[in-house]
Amino acid sequence: MGSINTPDFTKGFPVDGLPNGGMIQGKLGDEDVVLARQDDQFFAVGASCTHYHAPLAEGLIVGEELRCPLHHACFSLRTGIALCAPAFDAIPRWRVERVGDSVFVREKLAALARYPEANVPKPPHSPSSVVIVGGGAAGLAAADMLRRKGYDGPLTMISADDAAPYDRPNVSKDYLQGPIPDEWMNLRLPDFYKEQRINLVLNSRVSSIDIQQKQIQLHDGKSYEFGALLLATGAEVIKLPIAGARDSDVFYVRTWSDAHALFKRIEIAKRVVVVGASFIGLEVAASLRSRGVAVHVVAIENAPFERTFGPEVGRFFRELHESHGVVFHLGKTVTRLNGNEAILNDSTKLHTDFLVLGVGVRPSVTLAEQAGLKVDRGIVVNEYLETSAPGIFAAGDIARWPDPHSGQPIRVEHWVVAERQGQVAARNILGYRERYDAVPFFWTQQYDVALKYVGHAEKWDDIQIDGSLDAKDCVVGYKQGGKTLAVATIGRDVQSLEFEAGMEASLRKQPRATHG
Ligand SMILES: Cc1cc2nc3c(=O)[nH]c(=O)nc-3n(C[C@H](O)[C@H](O)[C@H](O)COP(=O)(O)OP(=O)(O)OC[C@H]3O[C@@H](n4cnc5c(N)ncnc54)[C@H](O)[C@@H]3O)c2cc1C
Ligand code: FES
C-alpha cells in the first residue's frame, strides 16, 4: 500500500508537501484518491473522472473546482458534484482531518442526493411543462439539469433519432474501431428516463411550432403543449450527390445507426475512399486504418484542417495520416462512381468498396425559421440562450450566441459546448437568468494524437507554436492584433486548462458554485 510515489493517505501526508492549489494522487486501501489543497483547506476526492475515467490528478484546480485534463469537466472539491459537462456523475469524497503538520484521509462520505441535488432551493420559476426538441448532447444535458435543479413538472424529450441519447463523438472513433458494448454509447441507461420521469419520444420528428398557442406538432399528427421549449435539433449532414452512386455505396457518419451500418461494411472492406479532410473524414480514416482497411482521402482543400488550424497543424495531420498509410488526393473531388471505381475531377481512378462522405453539416433550423424565430446562420439567442420568442430557448449546434470572449455572435459544433449550453438553458428555463459565458472547447482524437482546442478564432494574423508538433508536445496560439483568441494543444493538457481558466478570469467570472 502506498510508496514514495503513491502515498498511503491513512498514514498521513505532510501539510508542507502540498502547495496551495496543488494535488496529489494516493491510496486509501484499494481506492485511488486525490488529496487537494486550496488555501488552508484540504479535500479528498475520487481520482477518476466520471466521463472517460481520466486521472484527475493530472488536471487543474481552479478555486474549489477540480478540472479534468481530457475534456475539461469540472467537479466541486467540496461536494464531488459534476458542475459542468461532459461529466454528469459525481466523484466520491472522503473526510479529511488535519493533525499537527499532517493531513489524514478518513472515512468515505455518503454521496449527496442528486435528483434533485441536496439542499437545492426551489427554482425561481417552474413552467407548467417543458418540451425539449432533440435527444442529443444539449437535449439530454438540459433534461438532466432540470431534474437536478428540482423541476418536478412534465418533461418531454422528442428525438428524430431511433436511439436514446448516446455518445456521438464516439460514432467516428471507438465505435468504428470496436466492437464496443452498447452500454458505452448510451449517455444514460434506460432506467434513468423512467426514474426521472422523462417522457422520451424516439423516432419522432417535430414538424412545426405554434408560438402563440405554445404547442408543437409532430409529423405523425401528435401534438404537445409546452410551458417552456428548448430547441436542440443539432445539425444535419450535407449530402453530396455523386453520379453513378447508389444509396448503398455512400455512407455518412452522424448517427449511431449510421456508424452501425458502416461498421458492418468495414468488416468486409479492403479499400475505401473518404471524401472530406476535416474532423469526421479524418477520424473515420483513422478508425478504418486501425481495422486494416486501405484508405484514400479526397478533399477539395489543399491541406487538412487548414481553415480551422492553419497550415502547420494541417501539415502535421497530413503527415500523421500518411505515416499510417493514408493516401491523400487534395485539391480534388469525386465526380462519379463507376462500379468499384471512384473517378476524380482530374480523371484519377481509385478502386473503392464504397464511399464515406464527411463534407460538413448545416444547423437544423428549419423548424425555427418556419415558426418565425430569428435565424442568422443558426438560431439567434441572447446571452441567456433565449431565442427571439420569450420562453423558447435554443442550445447546441443550432445556436448562435453572443460569445463574450471573442465579442462576436458565434455558432460552433462542439460536444462540450452543446452539453453546457443545455445545462445553462435548463437553469434559465427555471428562472436563474445565468449568462452563457463558458469558453468554447473541443477535442479530436486521431490515432494516438488528442488535440484540444480552447477559445474561438475564425481568423488570425499570427500563429505561434511553443514546443514541437512532430514531438506531439506543443501549444499553438492563434492571435489577432496581439491577443490570443484560441489555443490548440497536443500533450499539454494542463496548459489547455490554464488558458481556459485565464480566459474565464479575464471576464471576472462569478464562482460557478452559486448555481452548482
Ligand atoms: C461523428 C461525430 C464525431 C464528433 N466528435 C466530436 C469530438 O470529438 N469533439 C467535439 O467537441 N465534438 C464532436 N462532434 C460534434 C458534436 O457531436 C456535436 O457538436 C453535438 O452532438 C451537438 O449536440 P446537439 O445536442 O446540438 O445536437 P445533436 O447531438 O446532433 O442532437 C440533435 C438531436 O435533435 C434531433 N432532431 C433533429 N431535428 C429534429 C426534429 N425536427 N424533431 C425531433 N428531433 C429532431 C436529432 O435526432 C438528435 O437527437 C462530433 C460529431 C459527430 C457527428
Ligand atoms: S475524461 Fe474527464 S472530461 Fe472526459
Side-chain angles (χ1 to χ4, degrees):
M1 287 294 168
S3 69
I4 295 171
N5 294 326
T6 50
D8 177 354
F9 291 138
T10 58
K11 296 189 172 144
F13 190 82
V15 168
D16 291 346
L18 208 54
N20 186 17
M23 60 182 148
I24 185 164
Q25 181 170 327
K27 283 277 185 195
L28 198 81
D30 288 338
E31 300 205 76
D32 294 318
V33 174
V34 170
L35 182 67
R37 178 176 188 174
Q38 189 51 260
D39 298 320
D40 280 336
Q41 304 211 61
F42 290 84
F43 304 94
V45 293
S48 290
C49 179
T50 53
H51 180 226
Y52 286 176
H53 312 294
L56 290 171
E58 292 174 19
L60 186 72
I61 293 176
V62 180
E64 285 194 5
E65 287 180 18
L66 174 50
R67 297 192 176 179
C68 177
L70 281 201
H71 314 110
H72 295 201
C74 319
F75 297 92
S76 162
L77 281 169
R78 194 169 288 280
T79 63
I81 283 175
L83 296 172
C84 40
F88 289 106
D89 295 321
I91 47 176
R93 66 211 163 102
W94 285 263
R95 187 170 70 83
V96 177
E97 189 179 7
R98 182 170 175 167
V99 181
D101 291 336
S102 295
V103 275
F104 291 81
V105 179
R106 305 295 196 197
E107 75 280 2
K108 200 179 218 169
L109 297 169
L112 294 174
R114 182 163 158 72
Y115 296 106
E117 278 171 4
N119 307 321
V120 75
K122 196 169 170 298
H125 175 62
S126 185
S128 54
S129 63
V130 179
V131 171
I132 298 172
V133 186
L140 177 73
D144 178 85
M145 186 54 74
L146 286 164
R147 290 304 189 218
R148 268 170 76 172
K149 291 296 163 201
Y151 176 65
D152 207 23
L155 175 49
T156 300
M157 180 159 44
I158 299 163
S159 175
D161 217 311
D162 56 6
Y166 52 86
D167 193 343
R168 196 178 302 281
N170 245 344
V171 156
S172 49
K173 305 181 187 73
D174 292 14
Y175 188 80
L176 286 186
Q177 293 158 31
I180 61 169
D182 280 3
E183 304 88 86
W184 287 18
M185 291 296 283
N186 289 314
L187 294 178
R188 287 291 187 209
L189 295 174
D191 281 355
F192 168 80
Y193 303 96
K194 216 185 298 163
E195 282 163 15
Q196 296 313 320
R197 293 172 298 110
I198 297 168
N199 179 22
L200 178 61
V201 186
L202 296 175
N203 274 316
S204 297
R205 195 165 274 280
V206 175
S207 56
S208 65
I209 307 167
D210 185 332
I211 295 178
Q212 301 307 324
Q213 298 299 317
K214 295 195 148 204
Q215 203 177 65
I216 55 156
Q217 190 89 29
L218 269 54
H219 272 297
D220 65 8
K222 284 201 195 101
S223 62
Y224 291 83
E225 290 185 354
F226 61 84
L229 179 68
L230 173 64
L231 297 175
T233 46
E236 57 212 60
V237 291
I238 294 172
K239 301 220 165 166
L240 200 65
I242 305 270
R246 299 162 304 174
D247 284 353
S248 58
D249 296 324
V250 177
F251 289 83
Y252 291 92
V253 185
R254 178 78 197 175
T255 64
W256 188 1
S257 58
D258 291 341
H260 189 64
L262 178 56
F263 186 83
K264 286 203 281 190
R265 286 291 289 278
I266 293 173
E267 286 184 313
I268 48 165
K270 297 216 164 9
R271 290 170 64 105
V272 171
V273 168
V274 173
V275 183
S278 198
F279 295 98
I280 302 303
L282 291 190
E283 288 184 358
V284 170
S287 297
L288 288 167
R289 289 303 301 131
S290 78
R291 308 276 305 270
V293 178
V295 177
H296 286 247
V297 172
V298 178
I300 203 76
E301 54 266 43
N302 291 318
F305 302 122
E306 197 167 9
R307 266 182 303 137
T308 318
F309 296 135
E312 278 302 302
V313 178
R315 176 203 56 81
F316 165 76
F317 272 105
R318 178 184 174 154
E319 289 175 8
L320 173 73
H321 279 269
E322 284 172 342
S323 72
H324 285 83
V326 172
V327 181
F328 283 91
H329 305 266
L330 296 170
K332 297 191 185 143
T333 177
V334 174
T335 53
R336 60 179 287 112
L337 192 69
N338 192 1
N340 274 359
E341 247 175 15
I343 322 280
L344 310 195
N345 54 342
D346 65 351
S347 303
T348 305
K349 291 178 180 159
L350 300 174
H351 187 77
T352 188
D353 292 332
F354 52 86
L355 298 174
V356 178
L357 266 59
V359 291
V361 295
R362 66 170 71 88
S364 306
V365 294
T366 314
L367 268 182
E369 265 169 348
Q370 287 171 351
L373 297 177
K374 191 171 174 200
V375 171
D376 172 17
R377 296 160 295 143
I379 301 176
V380 176
V381 293
N382 64 15
E383 64 267 54
Y384 306 108
L385 304 179
E386 198 164 23
T387 67
S388 53
I392 301 184
F393 293 78
D397 284 4
I398 49 166
R400 181 170 293 276
W401 83 98
D403 171 40
H405 304 281
S406 60
Q408 302 291 324
I410 66 170
R411 187 188 73 76
V412 300
E413 289 147 13
H414 305 349
W415 181 254
V416 173
V417 171
E419 289 188 330
R420 290 185 183 179
Q421 288 191 344
Q423 294 181 321
V424 170
R427 294 194 284 258
N428 287 336
I429 283 171
L430 300 181
Y432 283 102
R433 296 294 281 175
E434 178 183 334
R435 287 171 203 275
Y436 183 76
D437 58 9
V439 181
F441 165 82
F442 74 83
W443 81 97
T444 178
Q445 178 82 42
Q446 294 166 41
Y447 311 105
D448 61 341
V449 172
L451 178 142
K452 321 281 162 65
Y453 183 98
V454 170
H456 185 77
E458 280 174 23
K459 51 185 183 184
W460 52 80
D461 54 29
D462 187 22
I463 296 180
Q464 284 187 352
I465 302 180
D466 172 33
S468 157
L469 277 159
D470 294 330
K472 299 171 189 164
D473 177 27
C474 62
V475 179
V476 184
Y478 298 88
K479 294 184 152 202
Q480 178 85 345
K483 183 182 170 195
T484 305
L485 302 178
V487 298
T489 59
I490 299 175
R492 301 270 189 102
D493 289 344
V494 170
Q495 276 172 273
S496 174
L497 284 163
E498 284 171 347
F499 182 76
E500 180 185 65
M503 283 185 84
E504 289 169 359
S506 68
L507 276 189
R508 294 195 175 76
K509 206 168 183 302
Q510 295 300 305
R512 218 189 314 267
T514 48
H515 296 301

